[in-house]
Amino acid sequence: MAKVTAKVASSAANSGSMLNWIGILILAIVVFGGLLIVAGNLISAPTQLPYFADTNAPVPAVFTSAIGQQGQLTAQNIAQLAGSHLSNSSQFKATYSGALYVKPSGVLGYISTINSPIQVNESKYLGNLKFSVDASSLPILGDGKVYYIGQPNATYVCLNLNQSAISSGNAGAVLLGSRNVTCSKSGSLAGLNMSELTTFNLALLSQFGMQLSYQSPYQSTYNGQGCTFVYGSMSQPQSNGTGQFQMCISDIYYLPLSIGITLQSSQIKASIMLNETSIGNNTLESGTVLLPGPVVG
């Protein structure tokens, strides 16, 4: 483990940036995988994205009215709809299950392939909002947990890795210290606004140099629930990275019922996929107000 940490620390120093263009994959890679943040490039894994058939029903007016001047229903438009629903809901809860796949190659070949289940939970009770991600099978790291908690008078980021090492870009120190969950009174991690994750805002990818090209949205279904399917391609010209993204957005809650991203470069192939397992307007207050660990720092 010491040799791996030393190699990662050296690679991180050469990369000049811990975050690079991982974007939404921060949910499982940036936060959980300091060992992989030196990658710089991600791309399509050998997993196919789920297929969503066009039902030929009209796209709901709430989505068409959100289409911007360029005639596209963009990630930012969708995030604004989701944020508005969350703000106007006194209670809400959604759970997701999925998988993260990352296969390094080239100079990163010494890092183990990740093939981990992921659980995502989001709940709101009055002014309290909690968003969490748990990746349960990460090489060396084991179980990775991250939380964003928004309360009326404060926001917190909690995780079971060294937060200061992540924020400073010190990949080699990410594993140091206790693996117990601790919290900081902050709304960001490594410069990323964590509240944007609560709306699954793919516009975050632009922060890492990613460009999204959208296709026309259409109506589909997921487990009998109507959803608006938004999809397109991704590119990162600086590193010749390419990929695809797709979301089927609930016509009622404006959050994704299914979301998938595949990314690829000469160094890494990766994908993250999440599917809703329950969603509705009922939750318990205790599930949103309790911090998962002590506040430190």
Side-chain angles (χ1 to χ4, degrees), residues 156-171:
Y156 301 88
V157 173
C158 310
L159 63 155
N160 66 338
L161 294 174
N162 187 328
Q163 289 198 48
S164 61
I166 292 177
S167 296
S168 66
N170 187 354

Side-chain angles (χ1 to χ4, degrees), residues 216-244:
S216 298
Y218 60 79
Q219 271 295 281
S220 191
T221 60
Y222 174 78
N223 283 349
Q225 304 175 73
C227 55
T228 297
F229 188 69
V230 180
Y231 68 108
S233 59
M234 321 168 75
S235 64
Q236 209 248 14
Q238 293 180 346
S239 59
N240 296 317
T242 60
Q244 295 177 302

Side-chain angles (χ1 to χ4, degrees), residues 48-283:
Q48 294 295 318
L49 294 174
Y51 174 71
F52 284 86
D54 188 344
T55 63
N56 294 315
V59 173
V62 68
F63 288 109
T64 57
S65 64
I67 292 177
Q69 294 181 351
Q70 296 180 345
Q72 297 173 335
L73 184 59
T74 67
Q76 190 63 50
N77 300 145
I78 297 166
Q80 289 171 352
L81 288 174
S84 177
H85 174 266
L86 287 171
S87 296
N88 294 326
S89 300
S90 59
Q91 295 184 44
F92 177 77
K93 184 174 183 180
T95 62
Y96 299 83
S97 64
L100 168 70
Y101 176 90
V102 180
K103 183 175 178 57
S105 60
V107 297
L108 296 176
Y110 61 84
I111 300 174
S112 299
T113 295
I114 288 177
N115 192 358
S116 173
I118 295 180
Q119 300 293 321
V120 174
N121 296 281
E122 181 163 13
S123 57
K124 183 190 178 188
Y125 190 92
L126 299 180
N128 300 291
L129 178 68
K130 180 183 285 186
F131 181 91
S132 67
V133 181
D134 186 340
S136 59
S137 181
L138 300 174
I140 301 177
L141 301 176
D143 193 21
K145 301 176 184 292
V146 61
Y147 303 82
Y148 169 81
I149 295 101
Q151 297 180 350
N153 299 314
T155 56
Y156 301 88
V157 173
C158 310
L159 63 155
N160 66 338
L161 294 174
N162 187 328
Q163 289 198 48
S164 61
I166 292 177
S167 296
S168 66
N170 187 354
V174 169
L175 299 178
L176 299 180
S178 171
R179 295 299 308 281
N180 295 327
V181 175
T182 59
C183 302
S184 63
K185 197 172 183 179
S186 172
S188 65
L189 180 65
L192 191 73
N193 183 355
M194 297 291 282
S195 67
E196 296 291 345
L197 299 181
T198 66
T199 58
F200 296 84
N201 189 358
L202 293 188
L204 286 171
L205 289 165
S206 64
Q207 184 171 329
F208 305 94
M210 292 293 297
Q211 299 176 0
L212 275 62
S213 177
Y214 296 83
Q215 301 295 318
S216 298
Y218 60 79
Q219 271 295 281
S220 191
T221 60
Y222 174 78
N223 283 349
Q225 304 175 73
C227 55
T228 297
F229 188 69
V230 180
Y231 68 108
S233 59
M234 321 168 75
S235 64
Q236 209 248 14
Q238 293 180 346
S239 59
N240 296 317
T242 60
Q244 295 177 302
F245 69 93
Q246 64 177 46
M247 296 185 290
C248 209
I249 311 298
S250 168
D251 293 338
I252 298 174
Y253 305 107
Y254 312 134
L255 284 167
L257 300 177
S258 178
I259 181 170
I261 302 173
T262 63
L263 301 164
Q264 175 176 308
S265 78
S266 60
Q267 290 183 313
I268 273 186
K269 293 183 178 181
S271 69
I272 184 169
M273 298 183 189
L274 291 170
N275 293 305
E276 170 266 326
T277 54
S278 68
I279 193 167
N281 285 325
N282 293 295
T283 191

